């Protein structure tokens, strides 16, 4: 199966569209932003629901605490800032006031990973998936494109409990139909195959599809799984696929430590050990550059995934 | 002396009656900390009068119908969570959970965790606290939810003075005033001491009154160990709500108040009395409601 490019849109706009929709359908939805309303595409919500929008200024710790407090009284707060400032900067606030306290806060994080681009490593967090999936009770979602980010935004509004929604800055191919089903914790098999399982999240799902097409030309049938939910992880989907293919490649715009690859490896080592190759940033910080330049330099292109697939198959 | 531990009436009003409850609360504090040989008696004892006033006179609350949202009730958030023994005592004595449960403080499989939390479902507690500096932000959020819900009740918070060294407090201070969160009364336990010593030696706070004023708060000061003055000041604080500014009450207290050897030092911030010290402490505190 091939996936035509429906459009080129940023995933953050998918969040903005979804937020406006849940704002319209649920009067308890409120939104908070730390001086990045335009960057997070929260302006439409702010305009339509000014009384339910809280501009907190450049004070992310305070934003997380206010969000936690707003849940007491039945509100469903969505916080918006960059992924770096949604996690590392406020880890203790998220840990104590949201995760440990079990508060129904939706932490929505844009500009994640290398594709933030020219701003450089200070803003390109590559550790956030790991930080957030370590928190007990935290749901972690990394949608693949604009349409799926919108769907995920609707889904977390309906989900009871703290959620981390990770998305990005650049325009990116839209390939998931807007009406395609989305369920938290349920992986999507985008391409069926029997030689290697390729599991990806976020922007790298598209690169993985490209890699699968290349592999097909070489006579290798790769199974492509969109693991949009990192936690709770769909272990059944992983085991079902790897039990047929015998090897796996994980692909993520994240440090190779702590992210999707580690999560998949944990499932496999416990139930069905198999060779695994990691397409991820190799334990380093990023740097300034265009998204394409960075993805190429740090080994996250379709060609890198193809090479990893061959290595995995050779080890199987 | 009552023969069995009892909850006090939560509608206590006279100063004398509140002082009698506070004496029992102080006994509960030292007994909790002694039983598990850990915890923070100093700040707890210093705030016993405030907590007694809050739970038996000031708050409009209904322990019997406690729920997380607390709509149409006043809410309280303890930001300096380490003084949990005093909070647990007034929560139990005002009917949120059995007084006998105070015996489980800091013990395995219990709800009375070292620092307060929602995790075990303890009635009366709406937020986890302990890592300092976070409670003012939470209180602001709860106050904003009340405004959105058309709920005219108030939100109260308590902070330690040492806790004000955390930067998040000042982010929240700026927000509450800048955004006119005027259904919020925050209080600070100004005992001048923290774990490592006097606040002035560890990191001086400067002129706190001037600082909160400069941030745009309405600021009151009182003696946090004088029940009459405390009640008068808190009533004034309540009168000042709804006028466009958050209200701050700076309460001067004595760490360890009520137990002579725990006073006038930071030494009893976070250590437990031994058997002899417990006996000495209890000898100074009248058992007014019956020990648990």
């Amino acid at each position: 199966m091939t996936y035509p490019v429906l459009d080129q849109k940023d995933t953050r706009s998918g969040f903005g569209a979804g937020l406006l929709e849940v704002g319209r359908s649920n009067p308890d939805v409120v939104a908070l932003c730390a001086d990045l309303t335009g960057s997070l595409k929260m302006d439409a919500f702010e305009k339509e629901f000014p009384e339910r929008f809280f501009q907190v200024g450049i004070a992310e710790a305070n934003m997380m605490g206010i969000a936690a407090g707003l849940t007491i009284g039945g509100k469903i707060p969505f916080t918006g800032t960059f992924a770096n400032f949604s996690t590392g900067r406020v880890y203790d606030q998220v840990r104590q006031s949201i995760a440990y306290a079990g508060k129904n806060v939706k932490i929505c994080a844009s500009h994640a990973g290398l594709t933030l681009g020219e701003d450089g490593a200070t803003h390109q967090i590559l550790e956030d998936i790991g930080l957030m999936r370590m928190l007990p009770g935290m749901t972690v979602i990394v949608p693949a494109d604009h349409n799926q980010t919108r769907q995920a935004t609707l889904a977390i509004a309906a989900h009871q409990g703290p959620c981390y929604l990770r998305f990005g800055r650049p325009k990116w191919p839209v390939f998931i139909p807007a009406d395609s089903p989305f369920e938290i914790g349920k992986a999507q098999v985008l391409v069926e195959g029997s030689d290697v399982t390729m599991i990806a999240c976020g922007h790298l799902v598209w690169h993985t599809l490209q890699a699968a097409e290349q592999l097909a030309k070489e006579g290798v049938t790769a199974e492509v799984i969109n693991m949009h939910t990192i936690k709770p992880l769909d272990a059944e989907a992983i085991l079902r696929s790897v039990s047929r293919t015998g090897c796996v490649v994980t692909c993520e715009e994240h440090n190779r430590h702590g992210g999707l690859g580690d999560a998949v490896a944990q499932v496999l080592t416990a139930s069905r050990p198999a060779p695994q190759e990691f397409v991820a940033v190799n334990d380093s910080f990023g740097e300034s550059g265009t998204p394409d330049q960075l993805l190429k330099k740090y080994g996250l292109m379709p060609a890198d995934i193809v090479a990893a697939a061959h290595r995995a198959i050779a080890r199987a | 002396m009552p023969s069995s531990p009892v909850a006090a009436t939560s509608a206590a009003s006279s100063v004398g009656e509140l002082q009698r409850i506070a004496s029992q609360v102080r006994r509960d504090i030292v007994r909790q900390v002694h039983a598990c040989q850990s915890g923070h008696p100093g700040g707890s004892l210093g705030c016993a009068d405030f907590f007694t006033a809050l739970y038996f006179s000031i708050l409009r609350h209904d322990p019997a119908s406690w729920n997380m949202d607390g709509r149409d009730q006043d809410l309280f958030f303890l930001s300096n969570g380490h003084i949990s023994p005093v909070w647990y005592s007034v929560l139990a004595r005002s009917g949120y959970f059995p007084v006998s449960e105070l015996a489980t403080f800091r013990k395995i499989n219990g709800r009375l965790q070292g620092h307060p939390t929602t995790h075990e479902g303890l009635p009366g507690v709406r937020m986890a606290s302990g890592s300092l500096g976070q409670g003012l932000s939470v209180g602001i959020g709860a106050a904003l939810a009340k405004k959105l819900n058309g709920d005219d009740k108030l939100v109260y918070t308590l902070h330690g003075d040492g806790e004000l060294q955390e930067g998040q407090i000042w982010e929240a201070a700026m927000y509450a005033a800048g955004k006119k969160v005027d259904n919020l009364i925050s209080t600070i336990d100004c005992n001048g001491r923290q774990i490592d010593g006097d606040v002035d030696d560890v990191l001086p706070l400067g002129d706190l009154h001037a600082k909160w004023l400069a941030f745009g708060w309405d600021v009151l000061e009182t003696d946090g160990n004088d029940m009459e003055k405390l009640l008068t000041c808190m009533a004034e604080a309540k009168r000042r709500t709804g006028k466009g500014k958050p209200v701050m009450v700076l309460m001067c207290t004595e760490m360890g108040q009520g137990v002579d050897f725990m006073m006038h030092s930071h030494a009893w911030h976070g250590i437990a009395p031994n058997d002899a010290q417990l006996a000495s402490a209890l000898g100074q505190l009248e058992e007014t409601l019956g020990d648990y």
Side-chain angles (χ1 to χ4, degrees):
Chain A
M1 179 171 182
T2 57
Y3 287 83
V5 177
L6 307 172
D7 205 344
Q8 294 278 346
K9 283 185 174 179
D10 46 358
T11 49
R12 56 186 166 142
S13 289
F15 162 67
L19 181 65
L20 184 60
E21 281 182 60
V22 295
R24 286 173 177 164
S25 63
N26 187 341
D28 281 329
V29 167
V30 299
L32 304 89
C33 188
D35 196 32
L36 287 168
T37 310
S39 297
L40 267 287
K41 305 297 180 186
M42 298 171 88
D43 7 25
F45 183 98
E46 179 186 20
K47 191 175 172 196
E48 190 160 326
F49 305 108
E51 76 289 353
R52 288 196 265 146
F53 180 81
F54 302 96
Q55 169 62 267
V56 302
I58 309 165
E60 295 82 6
N62 188 40
M63 176 169 73
M64 293 303 170
I66 292 177
L70 276 159
T71 66
I72 300 163
K75 300 305 161 196
I76 305 172
F78 283 66
T79 66
T81 182
F82 290 172
N84 190 22
F85 314 139
S86 298
T87 57
R89 187 178 180 89
V90 293
Y91 197 62
D92 190 47
Q93 285 77 15
V94 172
R95 179 180 181 273
Q96 174 173 283
S97 292
I98 296 175
Y100 181 44
K103 299 304 182 193
N104 193 26
V105 176
K106 316 303 171 185
I107 301 165
C108 300
S110 185
H111 294 55
L114 294 172
T115 53
L116 164 68
E118 292 81 353
D119 276 346
T122 53
H123 289 52
Q124 292 162 341
I125 193 162
L126 296 166
E127 309 90 40
D128 56 318
I129 295 175
L131 287 170
M132 299 310 269
R133 81 178 183 88
M134 277 197 295
L135 291 172
M138 182 66 71
T139 294
V140 179
I141 302 176
V142 187
D145 74 353
H146 172 278
N147 285 345
Q148 187 155 77
T149 307
R150 178 189 148 271
Q151 290 178 317
T153 306
L154 307 186
I156 61 174
H159 175 86
Q160 178 66 36
C163 295
Y164 179 64
L165 181 64
R166 182 202 216 223
F167 44 92
R169 174 175 184 250
K171 285 193 168 21
W172 201 255
V174 180
F175 57 95
I176 295 175
D179 58 355
S180 127
F182 178 87
E183 190 181 332
I184 293 173
K186 193 154 177 58
Q188 296 172 325
V189 178
L190 297 179
V191 180
E192 293 188 352
S194 55
D195 295 329
V196 58
T197 299
M198 304 202 297
I199 304 173
C201 64
H203 290 139
L204 282 224
V205 175
W206 177 250
H207 279 188
T208 306
L209 285 170
Q210 305 294 104
E213 281 190 25
Q214 176 59 35
L215 287 165
K217 289 176 191 164
E218 300 171 13
V220 175
T221 67
E223 182 142 298
V224 178
I225 296 178
N226 173 16
M227 194 62 75
H228 52 68
T229 307
I230 314 293
K231 188 180 181 182
L233 190 66
D234 191 346
E236 198 181 320
I238 297 168
L239 294 171
R240 198 186 309 126
S241 179
V242 176
S243 66
R244 286 188 294 103
T245 63
C247 60
V248 62
V249 177
T250 50
C251 315
E252 58 193 312
E253 192 184 345
H254 189 270
N255 194 321
R256 61 181 284 137
H257 299 304
L260 171 66
D262 275 2
V264 170
Q266 198 170 46
V267 168
L268 292 175
T269 50
S271 302
R272 205 278 180 209
Q276 179 175 352
E277 292 289 326
F278 296 76
V279 174
V281 175
N282 188 19
D283 199 19
S284 78
F285 294 104
E287 62 181 286
S288 291
T290 67
D292 275 354
Q293 288 170 336
L294 290 163
L295 292 171
K296 189 169 183 187
K297 177 166 179 175
Y298 289 86
L300 306 182
M301 295 300 277
D304 300 303
I305 301 170
V306 168
H310 285 307
R311 289 196 304 272
I313 291 167
R315 292 170 55 204
Chain B
M1 187 182 298
S3 58
S4 61
V6 294
T9 163
S10 61
S13 54
S14 79
V15 168
E17 200 176 345
L18 291 169
Q19 286 168 333
R20 285 177 57 78
I21 296 171
S23 179
Q24 184 67 49
V25 167
R26 288 192 161 92
R27 288 182 70 89
D28 290 347
I29 291 166
V30 292
R31 293 184 72 242
Q32 286 176 80
V33 173
H34 171 264
C36 63
Q37 282 298 293
S38 73
H40 297 78
S44 298
L45 289 166
C47 286
D49 303 301
F50 170 70
F51 273 84
T52 301
L54 194 65
Y55 274 81
F56 296 96
S57 176
I58 298 165
L59 288 182
R60 295 162 291 183
H61 65 135
D62 181 8
S65 69
W66 185 85
N67 60 68
M68 181 56 76
D69 279 354
R71 296 211 189 183
D72 299 315
Q73 300 203 22
D74 289 337
L75 305 182
F76 170 71
F77 294 97
L78 176 64
S79 191
N80 48 332
H82 57 276
I83 65 167
S84 55
V86 63
W87 197 16
Y88 293 151
S89 172
V90 295
L91 285 173
R93 295 286 174 182
S94 61
Y96 280 90
F97 53 82
V99 174
S100 59
E101 198 168 344
L102 294 176
T104 68
F105 174 62
R106 284 187 172 233
K107 292 189 173 167
I108 190 79
N109 298 324
R111 300 194 294 180
L112 277 58
Q113 293 289 298
H115 294 81
T117 174
T118 58
H119 201 258
E120 281 72 28
L122 186 68
V125 178
R126 294 187 168 87
M127 176 50 66
S129 63
S131 176
L132 293 171
Q134 301 185 29
L136 186 52
S137 306
V138 171
I140 289 168
L144 293 173
K146 284 206 176 295
K147 283 178 180 274
L148 286 171
N149 290 335
D151 177 343
D152 65 358
K153 296 299 185 294
L154 299 172
V155 174
Y156 293 79
T157 65
L158 174 66
H159 313 267
D161 50 0
E163 183 185 8
L164 304 184
Q165 291 158 356
E166 291 280 6
Q168 187 183 345
I169 288 284
W170 301 101
E171 292 183 4
M174 203 181 325
Y175 184 94
K179 305 284 181 165
K180 300 181 170 50
V181 185
D182 60 1
N183 55 343
L184 173 68
I185 298 176
S186 291
T187 59
I188 295 173
D189 174 21
C190 297
N191 60 24
R193 308 190 197 281
Q194 56 191 110
I195 301 182
D196 272 359
D198 288 353
V199 174
D200 280 345
D201 293 332
V202 175
L203 179 62
L205 297 171
D207 186 341
L208 273 189
H209 192 113
K211 280 182 176 168
W212 288 96
L213 270 182
F215 271 78
W217 289 57
D218 200 348
V219 186
L220 297 167
E221 291 189 42
T222 190
D223 181 341
N225 293 131
D226 182 317
M227 191 62 80
E228 198 159 359
K229 288 179 182 168
L230 194 49
L231 291 173
T232 302
C233 183
M234 293 305 289
E236 176 61 19
K238 190 173 166 184
R239 269 192 296 277
R240 294 196 187 188
T241 58
K243 300 187 188 330
K245 289 183 176 185
V247 181
M248 171 56 67
V249 177
L250 302 174
M251 296 188 302
C252 182
T253 70
E254 180 61 50
M255 185 180 270
Q257 177 73 25
V259 178
D260 55 8
F261 61 88
M262 292 188 180
M263 296 166 67
H264 312 299
S265 160
H266 66 276
W268 288 88
H269 171 93
I271 61 168
N274 62 26
D275 291 350
Q277 289 164 332
L278 175 70
S280 169
L282 293 180
Q284 302 171 46
L285 301 166
E286 187 186 352
E287 182 182 355
T288 53
L289 297 172
D291 287 337
Y292 58 85

